[in-house]
Protein backbone atom coordinates (compact mmCIF):
# COMPACT_ATOMS: atom_id res chain seq x y z
CA UNK A 1 0.00 0.00 0.00
CA UNK A 2 1.28 3.47 -0.91
CA UNK A 3 1.06 6.00 1.90
CA UNK A 4 0.58 9.72 1.30
CA UNK A 5 3.34 11.73 2.95
CA UNK A 6 2.18 14.27 5.51
CA UNK A 7 2.63 17.90 4.45
CA UNK A 8 5.26 20.00 6.23
CA UNK A 9 4.24 21.55 9.54
CA UNK A 10 3.90 25.00 7.95
CA UNK A 11 1.32 23.62 5.50
CA UNK A 12 -0.78 21.74 8.01
CA UNK A 13 -4.38 22.95 8.21
CA UNK A 14 -5.86 24.94 11.06
CA UNK A 15 -8.00 22.45 12.93
CA UNK A 16 -11.69 23.18 13.32
CA UNK A 17 -12.03 20.48 16.00
CA UNK A 18 -10.43 19.15 19.15
CA UNK A 19 -8.79 15.72 18.61
CA UNK A 20 -11.03 13.35 20.55
CA UNK A 21 -9.46 9.97 20.93
CA UNK A 22 -11.32 7.83 23.40
CA UNK A 23 -11.53 4.26 24.53
CA UNK A 24 -13.98 2.12 22.59
CA UNK A 25 -16.27 -0.32 24.34
CA UNK A 26 -15.98 -3.98 23.38
CA UNK A 27 -19.09 -3.61 21.20
CA UNK A 28 -17.63 -0.63 19.37
CA UNK A 29 -14.22 -2.24 18.97
CA UNK A 30 -15.76 -5.41 17.55
CA UNK A 31 -17.84 -3.39 15.08
CA UNK A 32 -14.80 -1.39 14.05
CA UNK A 33 -12.70 -4.50 13.49
CA UNK A 34 -15.43 -6.19 11.47
CA UNK A 35 -16.91 -3.31 9.46
CA UNK A 36 -14.17 -0.72 9.01
CA UNK A 37 -12.56 -2.54 6.06
CA UNK A 38 -15.88 -2.35 4.17
CA UNK A 39 -17.42 0.91 5.38
CA UNK A 40 -14.48 2.96 6.65
CA UNK A 41 -12.36 5.66 5.06
CA UNK A 42 -9.23 7.19 6.60
CA UNK A 43 -8.69 10.84 5.65
CA UNK A 44 -5.04 11.88 5.38
CA UNK A 45 -3.97 15.51 5.54
CA UNK A 46 -2.76 16.74 2.17
CA UNK A 47 -4.19 13.83 0.18
CA UNK A 48 -5.95 15.26 -2.85
CA UNK A 49 -6.69 11.96 -4.59
CA UNK A 50 -10.18 12.37 -6.12
CA UNK A 51 -12.75 10.35 -4.21
CA UNK A 52 -15.16 8.45 -6.46
CA UNK A 53 -18.44 8.37 -4.51
CA UNK A 54 -20.21 5.77 -6.70
CA UNK A 55 -17.20 3.49 -6.23
CA UNK A 56 -17.10 4.15 -2.48
CA UNK A 57 -20.80 3.30 -2.02
CA UNK A 58 -21.10 0.70 -4.76
CA UNK A 59 -23.88 2.68 -6.41
CA UNK A 60 -24.62 6.07 -7.95
CA UNK A 61 -27.06 7.92 -5.70
CA UNK A 62 -27.47 11.41 -4.22
CA UNK A 63 -24.97 11.79 -1.38
CA UNK A 64 -25.14 13.72 1.88
CA UNK A 65 -21.99 14.69 3.75
CA UNK A 66 -22.48 14.67 7.52
CA UNK A 67 -19.70 16.63 9.24
CA UNK A 68 -19.11 15.74 12.87
CA UNK A 69 -21.74 13.06 13.49
CA UNK A 70 -20.91 12.61 17.19
CA UNK A 71 -22.08 9.18 18.30
CA UNK A 72 -23.83 8.63 14.98
CA UNK A 73 -27.31 7.92 16.32
CA UNK A 74 -28.97 10.67 14.29
CA UNK A 75 -26.97 9.77 11.17
CA UNK A 76 -28.02 6.13 11.39
CA UNK A 77 -31.67 7.08 11.81
CA UNK A 78 -31.60 9.45 8.85
CA UNK A 79 -29.91 6.85 6.65
CA UNK A 80 -32.38 4.16 7.71
CA UNK A 81 -35.32 6.45 6.89
CA UNK A 82 -33.78 7.60 3.60
CA UNK A 83 -32.43 4.49 1.80
CA UNK A 84 -32.43 6.15 -1.63
CA UNK A 85 -29.59 8.49 -0.64
CA UNK A 86 -26.02 7.85 0.49
CA UNK A 87 -24.70 9.20 3.80
CA UNK A 88 -20.98 9.91 4.17
CA UNK A 89 -20.26 10.79 7.79
CA UNK A 90 -16.95 12.07 9.11
CA UNK A 91 -15.84 12.29 12.74
CA UNK A 92 -12.69 12.34 14.89
CA UNK A 93 -14.22 10.89 18.07
CA UNK A 94 -13.24 7.22 17.97
CA UNK A 95 -16.03 5.90 20.24
CA UNK A 96 -18.53 7.71 17.98
CA UNK A 97 -17.01 6.06 14.92
CA UNK A 98 -17.28 2.68 16.61
CA UNK A 99 -20.87 3.35 17.62
CA UNK A 100 -21.96 4.35 14.13
CA UNK A 101 -20.33 1.25 12.68
CA UNK A 102 -22.16 -0.84 15.26
CA UNK A 103 -25.45 0.79 14.25
CA UNK A 104 -24.65 0.18 10.57
CA UNK A 105 -24.26 -3.50 11.40
CA UNK A 106 -27.31 -3.71 13.67
CA UNK A 107 -29.60 -1.97 11.17
CA UNK A 108 -28.12 -3.53 8.05
CA UNK A 109 -27.42 -0.11 6.51
CA UNK A 110 -25.76 -0.25 3.10
CA UNK A 111 -26.01 3.49 2.37
CA UNK A 112 -23.57 4.69 5.04
CA UNK A 113 -19.81 5.17 4.87
CA UNK A 114 -17.77 6.32 7.86
CA UNK A 115 -14.71 8.56 7.50
CA UNK A 116 -12.18 9.45 10.18
CA UNK A 117 -10.18 12.68 10.01
CA UNK A 118 -10.45 16.36 9.10
CA UNK A 119 -13.68 17.06 7.25
CA UNK A 120 -12.30 19.87 5.13
CA UNK A 121 -9.45 17.64 3.99
CA UNK A 122 -12.11 15.16 2.83
CA UNK A 123 -14.05 17.92 1.06
CA UNK A 124 -10.98 18.76 -1.02
CA UNK A 125 -11.13 15.24 -2.46
CA UNK A 126 -14.74 15.54 -3.64
CA UNK A 127 -15.62 16.69 -7.13
CA UNK A 128 -17.52 19.97 -7.61
CA UNK A 129 -21.25 19.29 -7.60
CA UNK A 130 -20.81 15.84 -6.06
CA UNK A 131 -23.12 16.36 -3.06
CA UNK A 132 -26.85 16.84 -2.68
CA UNK A 133 -26.52 18.18 0.87
CA UNK A 134 -24.03 18.99 3.59
CA UNK A 135 -25.04 18.75 7.26
CA UNK A 136 -23.09 20.69 9.87
CA UNK A 137 -24.92 20.05 13.13
CA UNK A 138 -23.56 21.57 16.35
CA UNK A 139 -19.94 22.20 15.33
CA UNK A 140 -17.50 23.33 17.99
CA UNK A 141 -18.38 27.02 18.63
CA UNK A 142 -14.84 27.96 19.65
CA UNK A 143 -16.25 30.74 21.86
CA UNK A 144 -12.99 32.55 22.66
CA UNK A 145 -12.20 35.33 20.18
CA UNK A 146 -8.66 34.11 19.60
CA UNK A 147 -10.07 30.75 18.47
CA UNK A 148 -12.67 32.07 16.02
CA UNK A 149 -10.29 31.25 13.16
CA UNK A 150 -10.92 27.58 13.98
CA UNK A 151 -14.67 27.76 13.44
CA UNK A 152 -15.85 25.54 10.64
CA UNK A 153 -18.36 28.00 9.23
CA UNK A 154 -16.18 30.77 7.82
CA UNK A 155 -15.98 32.20 4.29
CA UNK A 156 -13.28 29.99 2.75
CA UNK A 157 -14.82 26.79 4.09
CA UNK A 158 -18.34 27.80 3.08
CA UNK A 159 -17.15 28.54 -0.46
CA UNK A 160 -15.55 25.10 -0.68
CA UNK A 161 -18.62 23.34 0.69
CA UNK A 162 -20.87 25.27 -1.68
CA UNK A 163 -18.77 24.25 -4.68
CA UNK A 164 -19.19 20.60 -3.74
CA UNK A 165 -22.99 20.94 -3.79
CA UNK A 166 -24.88 20.50 -7.03
CA UNK A 167 -27.16 23.43 -7.98
CA UNK A 168 -30.06 23.42 -5.53
CA UNK A 169 -28.09 21.34 -3.02
CA UNK A 170 -28.55 22.34 0.62
CA UNK A 171 -26.04 23.40 3.25
CA UNK A 172 -27.82 22.87 6.56
CA UNK A 173 -26.25 24.13 9.78
CA UNK A 174 -27.48 24.03 13.36
CA UNK A 175 -26.12 25.42 16.62
CA UNK A 176 -27.30 26.23 20.12
CA UNK A 177 -24.71 28.99 20.66
CA UNK A 178 -26.45 32.32 19.87
CA UNK A 179 -23.23 34.21 19.08
CA UNK A 180 -22.09 31.49 16.71
CA UNK A 181 -25.55 31.36 15.13
CA UNK A 182 -25.28 35.08 14.36
CA UNK A 183 -21.80 34.66 12.90
CA UNK A 184 -22.93 31.65 10.86
CA UNK A 185 -25.88 33.56 9.42
CA UNK A 186 -23.69 36.52 8.44
CA UNK A 187 -21.13 34.26 6.75
CA UNK A 188 -23.70 32.23 4.86
CA UNK A 189 -25.67 35.30 3.79
CA UNK A 190 -22.49 36.86 2.44
CA UNK A 191 -21.66 33.95 0.12
CA UNK A 192 -22.75 35.01 -3.38
CA UNK A 193 -23.47 31.46 -4.48
CA UNK A 194 -25.99 30.66 -1.75
CA UNK A 195 -29.59 31.67 -1.14
CA UNK A 196 -31.35 31.35 2.17
CA UNK A 197 -34.24 28.93 2.38
CA UNK A 198 -37.40 29.71 4.36
CA UNK A 199 -37.42 28.73 7.99
CA UNK A 200 -39.22 25.48 8.66
CA UNK A 201 -39.47 22.97 11.50
CA UNK A 202 -36.45 20.71 11.29
CA UNK A 203 -37.13 17.18 10.10
CA UNK A 204 -33.98 15.60 11.43
CA UNK A 205 -33.60 13.33 14.45
CA UNK A 206 -32.84 15.11 17.70
CA UNK A 207 -29.21 14.90 18.78
CA UNK A 208 -27.80 14.69 22.29
CA UNK A 209 -26.56 18.27 21.85
CA UNK A 210 -30.13 19.45 21.33
CA UNK A 211 -31.28 17.60 24.42
CA UNK A 212 -28.47 19.16 26.46
CA UNK A 213 -29.20 22.59 25.01
CA UNK A 214 -32.90 22.29 25.77
CA UNK A 215 -32.12 21.26 29.33
CA UNK A 216 -29.90 24.34 29.67
CA UNK A 217 -32.49 26.62 28.06
CA UNK A 218 -30.44 27.29 24.93
CA UNK A 219 -32.49 27.78 21.73
CA UNK A 220 -31.59 25.88 18.58
CA UNK A 221 -30.88 27.87 15.42
CA UNK A 222 -31.30 26.07 12.09
CA UNK A 223 -29.84 27.70 8.99
CA UNK A 224 -30.61 26.26 5.56
CA UNK A 225 -29.04 27.62 2.38
CA UNK A 226 -29.19 26.28 -1.17
CA UNK A 227 -26.56 26.59 -3.87
CA UNK A 228 -27.74 28.91 -6.60
Amino acid sequence: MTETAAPPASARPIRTFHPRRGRMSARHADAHAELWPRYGLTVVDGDRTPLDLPELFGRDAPTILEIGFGMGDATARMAADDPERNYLGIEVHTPGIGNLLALVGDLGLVNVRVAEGDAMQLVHRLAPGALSAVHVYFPDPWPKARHHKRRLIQPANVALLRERLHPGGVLHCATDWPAYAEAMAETLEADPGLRRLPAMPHNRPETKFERRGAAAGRPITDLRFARI
Side-chain angles (χ1 to χ4, degrees):
M1 179 182 297
T2 302
E3 295 186 359
T4 302
S10 61
R12 288 175 184 167
I14 295 174
R15 296 300 189 196
T16 61
F17 56 87
H18 287 290
R20 299 180 62 203
R21 304 289 173 180
R23 185 175 181 180
M24 290 189 189
S25 68
R27 173 174 176 267
H28 295 163
D30 288 347
H32 192 282
E34 178 184 356
L35 300 176
W36 182 261
R38 179 179 177 186
Y39 295 103
L41 173 68
T42 300
V43 177
V44 178
D45 289 351
D47 182 3
R48 296 295 184 263
T49 306
L51 183 61
D52 187 321
L53 291 176
E55 180 180 356
L56 179 68
F57 283 90
R59 67 173 188 172
D60 189 0
T63 300
I64 295 172
L65 175 62
E66 187 91 5
I67 295 178
F69 56 74
M71 293 303 290
D73 302 84
T75 304
R77 286 178 58 192
M78 286 187 287
D81 292 341
D82 189 19
E84 299 306 312
R85 293 197 288 182
N86 296 330
Y87 283 76
L88 174 56
I90 184 163
E91 182 55 76
V92 294
H93 183 46
T94 49
I97 290 169
N99 190 61
L100 180 53
L101 287 168
L103 293 171
V104 165
D106 291 345
L107 299 173
L109 300 176
V110 297
N111 61 330
V112 175
R113 295 296 182 268
V114 183
E116 180 177 8
D118 187 325
M120 296 312 297
Q121 294 290 304
L122 173 61
V123 171
H124 277 289
R125 296 182 59 190
L126 301 175
L131 300 172
S132 64
V134 177
H135 295 166
V136 184
Y137 297 155
F138 305 95
D140 193 326
W142 294 100
K144 295 181 179 179
R146 69 176 183 271
H147 291 155
H148 285 183
K149 65 183 178 181
R150 299 186 180 276
R151 286 177 168 176
L152 181 64
I153 300 303
Q154 53 183 298
N157 289 344
V158 168
L160 187 60
L161 292 171
R162 181 245 302 154
E163 289 174 358
R164 269 48 182 178
L165 290 167
H166 64 62
V170 175
L171 174 55
H172 186 182
C173 304
T175 184
D176 60 353
W177 284 76
Y180 195 16
E182 183 178 349
M184 278 184 177
E186 290 178 357
T187 299
L188 294 166
E189 292 275 10
D191 189 289
L194 294 173
R195 62 179 177 86
R196 190 163 187 168
L197 298 176
M200 60 179 291
H202 69 72
N203 59 353
R204 53 184 168 74
E206 186 180 59
T207 71
K208 69 176 183 179
F209 298 101
E210 286 175 281
R211 292 190 292 271
R212 289 176 181 175
R218 294 196 300 267
I220 307 300
T221 299
D222 271 281
L223 297 165
R224 298 170 62 251
F225 285 73
R227 179 177 179 179
I228 296 172

